[in-house]
Amino acid sequence: MDKSMLADLESLPEADRQRMSAMMEQLQIRDSLRMYNSLVERCFTDCVDTFKHKSLQKQEETCVRRCAEKFLKHSMRVGMRFAELNQGAATQD
Amino acid sequence: MDKSMLADLESLPEADRQRMSAMMEQLQIRDSLRMYNSLVERCFTDCVDTFKHKSLQKQEETCVRRCAEKFLKHSMRVGMRFAELNQGAATQD
Amino acid sequence: MDKSMLADLESLPEADRQRMSAMMEQLQIRDSLRMYNSLVERCFTDCVDTFKHKSLQKQEETCVRRCAEKFLKHSMRVGMRFAELNQGAATQD
Amino acid sequence: MDANLSPAGLDKEQIFGIAEKEMEYRVELFNKITHSCFNKCVDNRYKESELNMGENSCTDRCVSKYWQVTNLIGQLLGSGKHPM
Amino acid sequence: MDANLSPAGLDKEQIFGIAEKEMEYRVELFNKITHSCFNKCVDNRYKESELNMGENSCTDRCVSKYWQVTNLIGQLLGSGKHPM
Amino acid sequence: MDANLSPAGLDKEQIFGIAEKEMEYRVELFNKITHSCFNKCVDNRYKESELNMGENSCTDRCVSKYWQVTNLIGQLLGSGKHPM
């Protein structure tokens, strides 16, 4: 759907390309903030289950750290595979 | 809430109505893409559970096809009922 | 991230501040409608489980009312705590 | 875009803004009904690609009940002091 | 709208854009806290329409802990090499 | 912003609009793959902060299968009479 459209965009004058990249930048900021929000939600849901205290307990903090690190590593791996597939570089098993 | 507002819109000049319908078109494109994304997510979640292979297995593919077809039929039925209710055509049982 | 930026905004001329508050108003309208949608979804999911009738049964209606009231009270409480934390007024336990 | 700017200016912008939010709301409502009623009514083992009669009549009633819940909560919000 | 365009042009547009994203972020954070803490703290059988003391104090602690998780993960992201 | 307005006017606005939706779609697709494959492949008891070999290879296959499901459903939608 988009290949021809993106080709069209490359033929646009400089000013339009600038606007395009400003738009992408805005989308990336929004996306990063959403990713952050959903990461916090996931790790909170998976790691915090008791509410006898107002402060995070040591083991909850450890769990949150590991959750975030695992998720970020996972997310980078997905990003690499996703990029390969977007470039049609996927191979069969 | 909106009935009076939509009446106001109908009294707007031609140029505004054009802008309005361009806006609706944009929303429909975004909505279609979101619907597509959420349909894929649902059928993937329900149908794919083993990861010994890189390719979809025959039974997974069958499941995905049925899932998508069922969802689309369901969605069209909901759309008809939704339209009736929006028009105040709902009857009691 | 935002404190310096918001300070910048306060130094903007009147016209910009007006635009800013118009933007916030739009976001609040959208947010209220989303909150409404998600509240309905939650109470429907938790309270309605049988579909032998086309109309809400008495006990389902009672459940929905309680669900909505509880959620709104909860939401206001979260709002107060959230505001305190945003102002750095949080204390230790 | 410029062609649509009227002397009324900001007010018209606000009307468009509200109309846009209103449409987004309706689309989101439709999507939530579709997904909620699929979860409640349709067997997700997908043994066939047709909806059977039970699934269809469940869907009709589900949409109707969802709509009633929407109105009921709308009344609660409208009548009360809740600023939603 | 035109009245708000300044000589600074694009930069101001960017400031507005970032401020908008920032506000969206806060609204989304608030919504996620509200829903997460409702799930963790409030009995969803809805036997009454009041929140009891246990639910209220659970909510207070839940919001506090959610906030701490937000800060903790924010630190991890800020200190690390992760491009989020 | 004004500098970018061309004689073609509305058409260019539409191109930008569609390009924006397309990018939003890709971002959302990426996010859904990430979350779905995390749910399917990663142990959420978080006994360590590394992904083990099993989790990594599960992720690779999961992304590949998700992509195939996306294409399969895209074909169904494209070929059929469904207006999505």
Side-chain angles (χ1 to χ4, degrees), chain E residues 3-71:
Chain E
N4 296 319
L5 286 173
S6 82
L10 197 64
D11 285 48
K12 192 183 285 184
E13 287 307 310
Q14 286 173 328
I15 291 179
F16 276 109
I18 293 168
E20 194 178 17
K21 303 293 169 296
E22 171 71 22
M23 283 185 242
E24 283 179 0
Y25 160 76
R26 284 187 185 283
V27 165
E28 206 184 298
L29 174 59
F30 173 70
N31 288 344
K32 283 190 183 295
I33 296 181
T34 304
H35 284 281
S36 297
C37 291
F38 196 87
N39 292 337
K40 297 269 191 193
C41 293
V42 181
D43 180 4
N44 71 349
R45 283 166 301 167
Y46 309 116
K47 299 204 170 160
E48 48 184 354
S49 61
E50 294 301 315
L51 296 166
N52 63 42
M53 225 178 61
E55 289 170 329
N56 274 330
S57 79
C58 177
T59 294
D60 291 349
R61 287 165 184 162
C62 180
V63 175
S64 169
K65 282 191 168 186
Y66 200 105
W67 188 262
Q68 288 167 63
V69 171
T70 303
N71 289 336

Side-chain angles (χ1 to χ4, degrees), chain B residues 13-41:
Chain B
E14 178 59 21
D16 291 326
R17 280 207 248 173
Q18 273 186 20
R19 185 176 153 198
M20 201 70 187
S21 73
M23 189 177 85
M24 289 187 64
E25 213 176 275
Q26 291 288 321
L27 285 176
Q28 272 164 10
I29 294 172
R30 190 174 64 188
D31 179 48
S32 302
L33 291 173
R34 281 195 187 155
M35 194 70 156
Y36 176 32
N37 259 334
S38 70
L39 174 57
V40 171
E41 186 183 33

Side-chain angles (χ1 to χ4, degrees), chain A residues 7-63:
Chain A
D8 283 355
L9 286 170
E10 272 162 38
S11 69
L12 290 176
E14 178 60 21
D16 291 327
R17 281 207 248 172
Q18 273 186 20
R19 186 176 153 197
M20 201 70 186
S21 73
M23 188 177 84
M24 289 186 65
E25 214 175 274
Q26 292 288 320
L27 285 176
Q28 272 163 11
I29 294 172
R30 190 174 63 187
D31 179 47
S32 301
L33 291 173
R34 281 194 187 157
M35 194 71 157
Y36 176 33
N37 258 335
S38 70
L39 175 57
V40 170
E41 186 184 32
R42 171 183 291 275
C43 297
F44 177 81
T45 301
D46 286 352
C47 294
V48 184
D49 256 323
T50 61
F51 298 96
K52 288 190 207 154
H53 304 89
K54 196 179 171 183
S55 295
L56 274 189
Q57 302 302 290
K58 200 69 210 159
Q59 92 213 49
E60 291 170 328
E61 193 181 314
T62 305
C63 179

